[in-house]
Amino acid sequence: MANVAETIILNDGWTATCDDADIAVELNVPGDVHSALLAAGKIEDPYWRDNETLTDWVHRSLWTAKRSFNLESMDNGHFTLRFESVDCLAEVRVNGKPVGHCESQFLRYDFDVTGFLREGENLIEVTFLSNSLEAAKRAENSDFPMPFSTNSRIGHLNFLRKTQCHGGWDWGIALCPLGFYGDIALVRTGSVRLDDVAIRQRHEDGAVELDVTLHAFAFAPAVEDAIVEIDGHRATATLHAFPGENRVTVTARVENPRLWWPAGHGEQAFYDLSVSLGGQTRDFRIGLRDVALLTDEDEIGNRFAFKVNGREIFMKGANWIPGDALPERATPEQVRDLLQSAVDANMNMIRIWGGGQYEADWFYELCDELGLMIWHDFMFACNLYPAHERHWLDLVRNEARQQLRRLSRFAAMALWCGDNELVGALTWYKESLENRDRYLAIYDRLNHALEEAVEDEDIGLPFRPSSPSVGRLDFGDGWHVDTSGDMHFWDVWHSAKDFEHYRTVRPRFCSEFGFQSFPSMRVIRSFTDEEDRNVSSAVLDVHQRNEGGNSRIVETIARYFRFPDSFEDMVYLSQLGQGLAMKTAIEFWRANRPRTMGTLFWQLNDTWPVASWSSLEYGGGWKTTQYLARRFFADLMVTAQPDPDTGAIMLLAVSDRTEDTPVTVRLRSVDATSGKVAEIGDYPVTAKAAGVVEVARIRPETLEESAFLIFDWRDQSGNVLGENEYLPKRPKAYRFAPPQIETAAETADNGERRVTLTSDRPALYVTYGHGDDDIYSDNCFTLLPGEPKVITVTRKRRSHLPDDGTPIVSYLRG
């Protein structure tokens, strides 16, 4: 059969119908049924006030999506109906005849429809079963009970291969959406269909060899040339295909390669790579990089450090959850804004958390472009899972292999991790506590299947069994061990410990920790009536999914700050408290490098308007934490830390740079009561490359009772590289006289917009704007009398939320 290759995208013209509700709406692809209903005015905004449960009928109903298309000719070739992502249980018919069914959101489905099509008009129908009701049936029919996370309002999704947080989480709404999350296409091929391309990089001195494995399905015996082209060179191999699944590997070589580096460590260089087989061509843009995870034994325990292109790099970043609870809203433009904000705050890694989803190709392309490395969980989190069921486990095996192959081409990929907190989950549920051996054996089946897939696919990336985890085949407590492995440290939030408690551990790598705050007033106004804007209102309780969360926020405010006079001030102080918690942890852990070599706080983004641990609130606005992250993740930072042995205040210069950097640290004291600013000294120091060096030591008794420290560091030309402050006591202990803060906004001749802030008295944690679309060069800073602060607009975002108007100025009140 002659080679024919054609792909017809079938994303347009879909409708979704529900006979029980007598509803028919246009359905976007990619898109979800909830968004379609909302666009058609058939449901109210589920994010507004307490509307969430009003949409439960949607996920409990049977829905049918359909569209027709014309086919001019059936001559030659085989036809495959391809679905990139279907959520999640669905039956597919073509021209009224069943062609297959879908059972996993995380699998691409390829249905051979050659014998079902006809010339002229054809009809595709996809009937979605109720994810929530079918999950409950599967749980009821299971040989063993499989408890699900108490975070989930809609239960038993652990029996389905779909986004686990779709049932709710302790920051997430429970909508249990359904729909198509990727392209739908009709693929016409010859006897061989190219399905997957997996790429392994092998780095050596002065060259990179690429093992490009083409995975193909053969409808009949065939011989085809596999061709790979890169950097002006062409490599070939011959595939002798037999009916069924086949593979062939082509090795290409790049001499003197330009390497891809994570953000802050070099350029993101790319090569065009072309792969072809049987008339089918795939064009990729790939970055060449070598990544390793160092876990060798040392005098403390075992290291946990990433090495990229031969360089050990401290990983700075946050955890990623899905872009929106309504999948259709998580567009490339919206997600780019969130990921750009991560890079703008000096992050170089995100962790795609196991209760979320494998993202679309364009997501990883954005991470490649921006230099954001990815710690990638497989999609399992906080539940017990039915790995005792052969069919379910086979779905997982196929999922793992497809995703490993698909994502192998992305330079951003740094690590595959088996799951999120499944080892801990063995201690959370009555069933597993009473019979740990059974549930541990079931967990081991799942974990081994994932490890086996990683080993068999052999894509050259490190694998960790779980997070947190002390190590391979170690099923002990990873939350509180700071000598080996990665750590999830939640004592400060969940156990209501002081911020200072972060300094009691020195993890090798902390992949989860966090503290909550309210979103800005801009976000709160988007989902409330005026009567709801009270911390104990029923609506604010709905938009707080962690039990007791709002009470903990308020209690923390009382612990660290004078109690606010208004709800607006409480919102500001909640964000300040969150920011100071993260500042305390991350500055201390960065100062402990090389023992600690990474901090990924929980969490970067929100899926809906909610009080949570995010640093970017719903809509992408920057909370105070995000601005402070730009400071505490800077490549050269000076921090003040208390010496637990002597009580002295140590100034430490922490550098992620590759070269030594001479700087001068200017240290001053500020008396909150009198407003007096006094010079303590200038300290020349060389910040050690990829290291920590002590700058100075200050005895706390040399400070007045009402004084705190402020310091900046400058390069040899006198340019300010950064600034910081240190309060020996909690902020509420200081009595600031009310400052008169004035602002002046202007646009320079070059179009740059800037704001100048001045004050007649010291003002601490001055924040200009809350959740604005404007991103400022600095925020949450100390303003001193006679020292104007000029901030510039570094980026203009586009949010779908209503604008709040003139930015407000907030500061710590004495």
Side-chain angles (χ1 to χ4, degrees), residues 53 121 161 167 176 237 314 323 325 380 422 438 511 537 588 625 630 687 691 713 735:
T53 57
E121 187 175 62
R161 294 311 300 140
C176 204
F314 193 104
F380 306 91
L422 262 57
R438 167 184 289 166
S511 50
S537 74
F588 177 70
T625 299
R630 178 181 274 170
W713 48 103
R735 292 292 178 265

Side-chain angles (χ1 to χ4, degrees), residues 658-723:
T658 57
E659 297 179 351
D660 292 351
T661 307
V663 295
T664 298
V665 179
R666 179 191 186 191
L667 179 63
R668 294 181 286 176
S669 68
V670 180
D671 192 295
T673 303
S674 68
K676 180 183 177 182
V677 180
E679 298 285 343
I680 294 178
D682 290 338
Y683 301 90
V685 68
T686 297
K688 182 181 177 182
V692 181
V693 63
E694 184 173 310
V695 177
R697 283 178 177 251
I698 306 298
R699 296 296 305 176
E701 59 266 22
T702 62
L703 294 176
E704 298 291 337
E705 279 293 314
S706 55
F708 62 93
L709 296 176
I710 183 169
F711 45 98
D712 61 41
W713 48 103
R714 303 166 187 250
D715 62 19
Q716 291 180 300
S717 299
N719 300 309
V720 176
L721 302 178
E723 60 184 45

Side-chain angles (χ1 to χ4, degrees), residues 293-341:
L293 179 65
L294 308 179
T295 58
D296 47 297
E297 188 174 357
D298 61 13
E299 66 279 4
I300 302 167
N302 290 86
R303 304 192 65 208
F304 197 106
F306 286 92
K307 179 183 281 189
V308 183
N309 301 331
R311 180 189 306 167
E312 289 188 30
I313 293 178
F314 193 104
M315 293 300 170
K316 303 176 290 191
N319 284 256
W320 172 267
I321 61 176
D324 203 292
L326 292 169
E328 188 173 317
R329 290 187 178 180
T331 63
E333 295 74 23
Q334 180 253 10
V335 169
R336 173 185 282 276
D337 172 50
L338 299 173
L339 296 177
Q340 182 65 58
S341 288

Side-chain angles (χ1 to χ4, degrees), residues 379-422:
M379 293 300 113
F380 306 91
C382 300
N383 294 305
L384 304 184
Y385 285 92
H388 60 287
E389 296 183 356
R390 174 64 182 271
H391 181 70
W392 184 92
L393 195 55
D394 282 345
L395 282 175
V396 169
R397 289 190 176 101
N398 290 336
E399 163 193 322
R401 292 176 188 276
Q402 267 196 21
Q403 299 296 344
L404 284 163
R405 295 168 188 172
R406 178 175 74 97
L407 303 184
S408 64
R409 67 181 172 95
F410 296 104
M413 292 293 296
L415 172 75
W416 278 102
C417 178
D419 62 72
N420 174 80
E421 299 183 353
L422 262 57

Side-chain angles (χ1 to χ4, degrees), residues 185-328:
L186 185 66
V187 180
R188 183 178 185 178
T189 64
S191 296
V192 174
R193 183 187 70 215
L194 177 58
D195 286 344
D196 295 302
V197 176
I199 302 172
R200 173 171 182 167
Q201 302 185 19
R202 290 183 286 116
H203 288 244
E204 55 188 61
D205 288 343
V208 177
E209 287 198 336
L210 300 176
D211 294 330
V212 183
T213 301
L214 290 72
H215 296 264
F217 182 87
F219 297 96
V223 178
E224 298 285 359
D225 288 333
I227 303 169
V228 173
E229 295 179 281
I230 185 172
D231 197 33
H233 301 286
R234 177 185 175 106
T236 63
T238 302
L239 171 65
H240 297 271
F242 293 90
E245 295 184 359
N246 298 263
R247 69 171 66 184
V248 62
T249 298
V250 182
T251 299
R253 185 177 178 88
V254 178
E255 301 284 353
N256 302 314
R258 293 175 291 110
L259 296 180
W260 181 98
W261 289 92
H265 288 269
E267 70 166 325
Q268 288 76 56
F270 294 101
Y271 287 82
D272 292 326
L273 175 75
S274 180
V275 177
S276 61
L277 180 75
Q280 303 155 78
T281 300
R282 304 273 181 90
D283 293 319
F284 304 126
R285 188 180 72 151
I286 68 168
L288 303 180
R289 59 87 186 93
D290 182 51
V291 59
L293 179 65
L294 308 179
T295 58
D296 47 297
E297 188 174 357
D298 61 13
E299 66 279 4
I300 302 167
N302 290 86
R303 304 192 65 208
F304 197 106
F306 286 92
K307 179 183 281 189
V308 183
N309 301 331
R311 180 189 306 167
E312 289 188 30
I313 293 178
F314 193 104
M315 293 300 170
K316 303 176 290 191
N319 284 256
W320 172 267
I321 61 176
D324 203 292
L326 292 169
E328 188 173 317

Side-chain angles (χ1 to χ4, degrees), residues 536-604:
S536 60
S537 74
V539 168
L540 255 65
D541 283 344
V542 168
H543 290 253
Q544 164 61 267
R545 308 317 280 255
N546 185 237
E547 186 176 355
N550 286 350
S551 298
R552 189 163 298 126
I553 291 173
V554 172
E555 188 275 332
T556 301
I557 289 173
R559 197 187 306 181
Y560 283 89
F561 310 106
R562 300 191 72 190
F563 208 74
D565 296 328
S566 67
F567 178 68
E568 289 78 3
D569 282 346
M570 182 172 290
V571 167
Y572 159 72
L573 289 178
S574 79
Q575 291 202 11
L576 182 55
Q578 178 193 40
L580 293 184
M582 295 300 91
K583 179 180 187 294
T584 301
I586 292 170
E587 288 191 7
F588 177 70
W589 291 337
R590 283 192 68 191
N592 273 276
R593 71 171 298 166
R595 175 181 176 131
T596 302
M597 285 300 292
T599 63
L600 308 177
F601 65 74
W602 185 270
Q603 67 216 57
L604 181 67

Side-chain angles (χ1 to χ4, degrees), residues 57-282:
W57 66 271
V58 178
H59 66 74
R60 292 174 180 159
S61 299
L62 206 69
W63 291 87
T64 298
K66 62 181 68 175
R67 71 150 288 172
S68 59
F69 66 97
N70 287 309
L71 194 61
E72 293 183 359
S73 172
M74 289 286 295
D75 294 339
N76 294 326
H78 294 269
F79 292 85
T80 299
L81 182 59
R82 173 168 289 171
F83 295 88
E84 286 189 357
S85 177
V86 178
D87 186 5
C88 117
L89 302 176
E91 298 169 349
V92 182
R93 296 181 301 279
V94 173
N95 294 325
K97 297 179 180 180
V99 299
H101 60 277
C102 305
E103 293 185 83
S104 172
Q105 177 190 334
F106 305 137
L107 274 174
R108 182 194 69 250
Y109 281 91
D110 295 316
F111 300 117
D112 181 2
V113 293
T114 307
F116 297 86
L117 297 175
R118 58 197 177 208
E119 291 185 359
E121 187 175 62
N122 291 266
L123 177 67
I124 305 173
E125 297 172 285
V126 180
T127 297
F128 292 92
L129 307 181
S130 166
N131 288 329
S132 54
L133 296 184
E134 290 295 322
K137 288 180 185 178
R138 296 184 181 197
E140 184 178 353
N141 293 329
S142 174
D143 290 339
F144 308 116
M146 287 289 150
F148 59 88
S149 172
T150 56
N151 291 328
S152 302
R153 183 176 70 83
I154 300 171
H156 307 296
L157 295 192
N158 49 336
F159 279 84
L160 301 184
R161 294 311 300 140
K162 86 179 249 90
T163 302
Q164 298 293 274
C165 65
H166 281 174
W169 218 261
D170 56 1
W171 38 259
I173 191 172
L175 297 179
C176 204
L178 63 151
F180 303 115
Y181 302 157
D183 288 341
I184 303 172
L186 185 66
V187 180
R188 183 178 185 178
T189 64
S191 296
V192 174
R193 183 187 70 215
L194 177 58
D195 286 344
D196 295 302
V197 176
I199 302 172
R200 173 171 182 167
Q201 302 185 19
R202 290 183 286 116
H203 288 244
E204 55 188 61
D205 288 343
V208 177
E209 287 198 336
L210 300 176
D211 294 330
V212 183
T213 301
L214 290 72
H215 296 264
F217 182 87
F219 297 96
V223 178
E224 298 285 359
D225 288 333
I227 303 169
V228 173
E229 295 179 281
I230 185 172
D231 197 33
H233 301 286
R234 177 185 175 106
T236 63
T238 302
L239 171 65
H240 297 271
F242 293 90
E245 295 184 359
N246 298 263
R247 69 171 66 184
V248 62
T249 298
V250 182
T251 299
R253 185 177 178 88
V254 178
E255 301 284 353
N256 302 314
R258 293 175 291 110
L259 296 180
W260 181 98
W261 289 92
H265 288 269
E267 70 166 325
Q268 288 76 56
F270 294 101
Y271 287 82
D272 292 326
L273 175 75
S274 180
V275 177
S276 61
L277 180 75
Q280 303 155 78
T281 300
R282 304 273 181 90

